[in-house]
Amino acid sequence: MEKSLSEYLDLSEKLVPNAYDKQIKIGFLSSFTINGLPEVLKIKCDEKQISCQTYLSEYNQYNQEILDSNSQLYKFQPDITFLLLDIRSILGDFFYFPYSLDIEKKKDFIEQKVLELVNLANIFAKNSSSKLIISNLHIPFFSPYGIAKSNSEFGLQDAIFYFNKELKERTKEFDSVFLFDFNGFVTKYGEDNIFNYQNYFFGDIKISLSFISYLGELLMSYVIAFLGITKKCIVLDLDNTLWGGIVGEDGFDGIHIGPQPPGNLFLEFQKHLKALSQRGIILAINSKNNLDDAMNVIENHPNMILKKDDFSCIVINWGDKVQNMREIAKQLNIGIDSLVFFDDDAVNREYVRRELPQIHVPEISSDPSEYTKTLLSLNDFSTFQITAEDVSRKKMYVQQKYRTELQNSSSNLIDFLKTLNLHVVIKKADNFSIPRISQLTLKTNQFNLTTKRYQKDEIKKFSTDNNMLVGSVQVIDKFGDNGITGVFIIKKEKTQEWILDSLLLSCRIIGRKIENVIINYIFEQAKKNGVEIIKAQFIPTEKNSPVQDFLPSCGFQKEGDFWVYHVEKPFKSPDFVSVEVDNV
C-alpha cells in the first residue's frame, strides 16, 4: 500500500542527507503542476539507500528550460530528466474541437506536435548528458461525438493514438531519450481517479494528489535502470505459493494447480513468472519440503507451467531459509542483493528481511489471487534495454549446472578448465554489443577493477573516439555460449602510455582465467602500437574483493595512485583457451 502524499512530504522535511554509495540527480519538467513528486522520489530513493537531489522547473516552463543552454536545469546537471506532458496543454483547442479540421489537417497538426517534442529532445541531447524520459499522452474516454466516435474517421482517440505511436518511433532515434507510458499509468489506475476536476480548476493539477505517489513508484523504475541496481533472481517458495495446498499433507492429487478455481490463481502466477524468465530473470526455489514430493509435482504434474529446467537453482530441504538464500546466491554466483524472495509465510518473510536486508521481500496478501498483481507491481527488474544475453540467461544457467557438475568431478581446477574447450572472441564495440557493454558496467560488482558505470550513450561515444578502445569479450565452451561476459575500456592518453579505465567479467565466468586472456591481448595490442607503459587502478568497494590481487598477479607494480606495467615484460596467457580476434 502506498503512503499518502502528505506522508511523503512530511518524511521529506525530516530527511537527513545521506552519503550513500548510489547517488542520482533528477530533473522534473512538466506542462502542469507536479508539486510533491520530487519529494516522493527523494523518499523512495532514500528507502533504497540512494542519495537523491532534485530540480523542479517553474510551472509550464519546459520549453524555455530546454531551449536556453544556460537554464537552471542544465546548471543542475541531472542524470535523469522527466518531461511530463498532459493532453490539454499539448493539444489545446484540438482536445475539445477535433472535428473542426479535415483529416489531413488533423494529421498535420499531430505530426507538428510530435516534431516539436522531437526537436526539443534533440536540443536537450546536445546540451545535456542526462537521460530524458518523455511521457506520452493518455487516451481519454471523452469524445465530443459520444458513442458515435467509433464511426468517426481520425477522431480524438485516433489522433492521440497516432501521436503516441509517432512519438514512440521518433524517440527510438535517440540513445538517451525514452518514453514513459503515461497512458498506461492512467489505464492502470483509472481516468476518474487520476484526473480530479477540482484539482485541475484550482491549481492546474492534472494528476490527483492521491496518485502522485503511485506515479513516483513507476518513475523509480528509471532510477533503478539508470543505477544498474536491477534484481536478477526471483526465489520462490512452493506450498501455497506456486501451488495451493501442502504437497506433504494433501498429496500429489490434492494440491491446487490448474484451470479451475482455486488452481487457476496459481496457474496465472506461474505464467507471469515464466514470462519474466523468458526475458532474463532467473528463477530459483527455496522451500521447506520433502525433496521427492516437491520434485514429483514440478516434473510430473500436468498443470505445472514451471518445470525443472525453468529453475536455475533448486534448494528444497528442511533447513534454515536464510542459509538457503545464501546457498542460492553462492550457487548462482550472484550477490545476495540480486535476489527477490516470494513466500506466502509471513514469518519466513520477516525472518529473511531481518537477517538479509539486502534482499527485497515484497509483502504478500493472504489471498493468492493477489500474487500476480504483486509480482507485476515490482519495479526491481527494470532495464532500459533487454539484450540477447538477457533472453538467453536461463539457458546459460542450465549450462552452468553442467559445468559445476564437471568441476566437482575433476581433480583440480586446471584439469577442469582444460576439459571445457574454452574459446574467447574479442571484438571492438559495435551497435550490437554496446547495450550489453553498458549493462555490464552498470551491473557487474565482483570482478570489476574500478566499478565505473557507463550509460549506453557514453559507451557509444567512447567507441567512436580514436583515443579510446572499447572491447567486448564473448566466452564459449563445450556446454554452450556464455554470450558477452567481459569488457575492457582503454584510454590512449599518450602515445607511449595507455590507461586501463575498466576491466570486468560477469560473475558467470569468474575463475576460468579469462581475465588473463584479456590482459594478454591488451599487452599485445600495446606492443603493436608502440606503447611502453600501461597504467591501471584498483578502486576497492564492498563487493569487488575477487579482483583485488589481479593487477599484481599479472606483474603490475604500484607507483603512486596507479599500478604500472611495462609491456616489454613477458606474460604467459593460458594455453587451454583459444582466442579469436574480430574487428579490433
Side-chain angles (χ1 to χ4, degrees):
M1 178 66 70
E2 268 292 347
K3 292 184 281 287
S4 67
L5 180 59
S6 60
E7 289 178 283
Y8 277 108
L9 294 176
D10 183 56
L11 289 169
S12 180
E13 287 183 2
K14 299 174 183 177
L15 185 64
V16 177
N18 288 291
Y20 296 127
D21 290 337
K22 300 288 185 182
Q23 300 184 18
I24 195 164
K25 298 172 76 175
I26 305 174
F28 293 91
L29 306 174
S30 72
S31 62
F32 57 98
T33 304
I34 56 169
N35 292 342
L37 186 58
E39 287 81 0
V40 170
L41 267 292
K42 280 184 179 180
I43 297 303
K44 286 184 176 292
C45 282
D46 188 71
E47 290 171 348
K48 293 184 177 293
Q49 296 192 320
I50 302 168
S51 296
C52 176
Q53 299 179 55
T54 62
Y55 170 77
L56 175 61
S57 173
E58 295 292 332
Y59 170 75
N60 200 21
Q61 295 291 302
Y62 66 91
N63 275 289
Q64 294 90 323
E65 290 271 18
I66 291 175
L67 294 173
D68 181 4
S69 60
N70 295 311
S71 69
Q72 291 302 311
L73 173 69
Y74 293 132
K75 291 178 181 178
F76 177 68
Q77 296 183 325
D79 298 305
I80 297 177
T81 302
F82 294 108
L83 173 53
L84 302 177
L85 307 170
D86 77 283
I87 189 171
R88 289 168 173 81
S89 299
I90 297 300
L91 299 186
D93 285 345
F94 184 89
F95 175 76
Y96 302 97
F97 316 117
Y99 305 102
S100 59
L101 301 174
D102 62 37
I103 293 175
E104 288 306 315
K105 287 183 179 179
K106 288 178 188 177
K107 288 188 176 180
D108 288 344
F109 175 81
I110 294 298
E111 288 172 357
Q112 180 60 37
K113 290 299 177 181
V114 172
L115 183 60
E116 289 172 5
L117 284 175
V118 171
N119 288 338
L120 284 176
N122 190 46
I123 293 168
F124 183 86
K126 290 179 180 178
N127 290 335
S128 174
S129 60
S130 168
K131 302 281 189 188
L132 178 62
I133 317 298
I134 305 176
S135 69
N136 63 12
L137 300 181
H138 97 268
I139 300 174
F141 178 78
F142 157 81
S143 169
Y145 273 27
I147 62 173
K149 63 187 179 184
S150 61
N151 297 322
S152 303
E153 192 171 359
F154 206 73
L156 178 62
Q157 284 76 15
D158 297 325
I160 299 170
F161 182 85
Y162 182 67
F163 176 97
N164 288 344
K165 179 177 178 294
E166 288 297 301
L167 185 61
K168 178 182 178 181
E169 292 302 315
R170 296 298 298 273
T171 51
K172 288 180 180 178
E173 301 171 8
F174 299 88
D175 291 321
S176 58
V177 179
F178 300 87
L179 204 62
F180 168 61
D181 187 13
F182 184 74
N183 182 58
F185 168 63
V186 177
T187 300
K188 180 176 182 178
Y189 293 107
E191 184 177 355
D192 287 344
N193 293 321
I194 299 299
F195 187 81
N196 180 295
Y197 273 100
Q198 187 177 44
N199 292 162
Y200 167 49
F201 289 132
F202 288 95
D204 198 24
I205 300 170
K206 293 166 183 173
I207 301 175
S208 169
L209 299 179
S210 301
F211 283 85
I212 287 288
S213 58
Y214 291 90
L215 175 62
E217 181 65 13
L218 291 178
L219 298 186
M220 274 298 294
S221 299
Y222 296 93
V223 175
I224 289 169
F226 180 85
L227 293 174
I229 54 176
T230 305
K231 302 290 187 181
K232 298 178 181 178
C233 176
I234 303 176
V235 183
L236 298 145
D237 180 43
L238 294 178
D239 291 331
N240 290 313
T241 300
L242 283 190
W243 55 70
I246 301 172
V247 66
E249 297 177 3
D250 301 317
F252 182 91
D253 296 322
I255 63 170
H256 302 295
I257 175 72
Q260 302 300 321
N264 57 351
L265 311 178
F266 301 95
L267 200 67
E268 180 77 3
F269 184 49
Q270 287 197 27
K271 287 178 180 178
H272 284 283
L273 286 166
K274 192 174 183 73
L276 284 173
S277 173
Q278 289 180 347
R279 57 155 276 196
I281 307 305
I282 309 165
L283 301 183
I285 292 174
N286 181 359
S287 173
K288 286 188 176 183
N289 230 312
N290 181 287
L291 178 62
D292 292 339
D293 289 343
M295 292 307 299
N296 187 32
V297 174
I298 293 169
E299 294 181 301
N300 299 316
H301 200 290
N303 294 323
M304 280 290 291
I305 299 297
L306 297 173
K307 298 294 187 179
K308 181 180 178 181
D309 284 347
D310 288 303
F311 298 100
S312 299
C313 182
I314 297 176
V315 179
I316 300 173
N317 54 38
W318 295 103
D320 185 286
K321 285 210 169 185
V322 166
Q323 184 55 40
N324 286 351
M325 296 300 280
R326 293 192 178 103
E327 179 61 26
I328 288 168
K330 180 180 178 182
Q331 285 190 30
L332 294 174
N333 201 13
I334 59 178
I336 199 81
D337 59 351
S338 296
L339 305 179
V340 174
F341 183 44
F342 217 103
D343 193 316
D344 70 291
D345 190 302
V347 174
N348 285 329
R349 294 198 300 270
E350 188 57 33
Y351 179 39
V352 172
R353 285 191 192 107
R354 188 187 69 193
E355 298 297 319
L356 300 172
Q358 314 96 308
I359 296 176
H360 181 202
V361 185
E363 193 54 34
I364 296 168
S365 170
S366 58
D367 180 359
S369 68
E370 295 287 312
Y371 287 1
T372 296
K373 180 180 178 181
T374 300
L375 179 68
L376 298 181
S377 71
L378 301 179
N379 56 18
D380 297 273
F381 314 112
S382 303
T383 182
F384 285 117
Q385 185 169 346
I386 297 173
T387 66
E389 280 73 17
D390 292 329
V391 175
S392 302
R393 185 171 286 120
K394 182 180 75 172
K395 178 182 176 182
M396 292 175 181
Y397 273 95
V398 171
Q399 294 167 354
Q400 184 62 27
K401 286 182 184 178
Y402 300 136
R403 294 186 189 97
T404 302
E405 291 171 1
L406 177 60
Q407 183 173 2
N408 291 337
S409 66
S410 300
S411 58
N412 61 68
L413 177 62
I414 298 302
D415 286 345
F416 161 67
L417 294 176
K418 287 179 178 178
T419 65
L420 283 179
N421 300 331
L422 286 162
H423 181 68
V424 168
V425 181
I426 299 176
K427 288 186 178 183
K428 185 178 180 182
D430 55 23
N431 289 334
F432 172 78
S433 63
I434 284 172
R436 174 60 175 167
I437 291 171
S438 170
Q439 185 185 66
L440 283 170
T441 69
L442 292 171
K443 296 172 67 174
T444 304
N445 294 307
Q446 296 180 58
F447 199 101
N448 191 334
L449 273 177
T450 59
T451 62
K452 292 182 179 179
R453 311 301 189 183
Y454 294 117
Q455 299 295 323
K456 176 183 170 183
D457 52 318
E458 294 177 288
I459 297 295
K460 190 170 186 178
K461 288 178 183 177
F462 291 165
S463 68
T464 58
D465 186 340
N466 291 331
N467 292 318
M468 303 282 289
L469 175 60
V470 182
S472 68
V473 180
Q474 180 182 4
V475 180
I476 304 165
D477 61 33
K478 69 179 182 180
F479 292 111
D481 188 348
N482 292 274
I484 296 174
T485 42
V487 169
F488 60 88
I489 301 174
I490 294 168
K491 292 181 178 179
K492 306 175 184 179
E493 292 193 346
K494 298 178 182 178
T495 304
Q496 297 179 322
E497 179 181 297
W498 282 1
I499 294 178
L500 184 58
D501 176 85
S502 299
L503 190 149
L504 56 92
L505 296 176
S506 167
C507 57
R508 290 205 302 272
I509 60 166
I510 291 176
R512 300 187 207 172
K513 305 297 182 181
I514 304 302
E515 62 272 21
N516 297 80
V517 174
I518 299 171
I519 203 70
N520 182 66
Y521 170 79
I522 293 171
F523 292 161
E524 289 178 348
Q525 293 302 302
K527 290 176 183 177
K528 289 179 181 179
N529 286 272
V531 174
E532 298 178 357
I533 291 175
I534 294 176
K535 289 185 175 181
Q537 284 183 301
F538 167 64
I539 302 175
T541 69
E542 291 182 359
K543 299 179 181 179
N544 70 348
S545 58
V547 75
Q548 64 181 345
D549 296 325
F550 174 67
L551 293 174
S553 73
C554 294
F556 283 80
Q557 300 290 324
K558 191 69 182 293
E559 295 182 14
D561 294 333
F562 286 90
W563 290 87
V564 178
Y565 185 87
H566 296 270
V567 297
E568 76 275 4
K569 292 169 59 177
F571 183 83
K572 183 174 177 56
S573 183
D575 57 7
F576 50 80
V577 183
S578 63
V579 180
E580 175 185 346
V581 178
D582 187 357
N583 79 353
V584 180

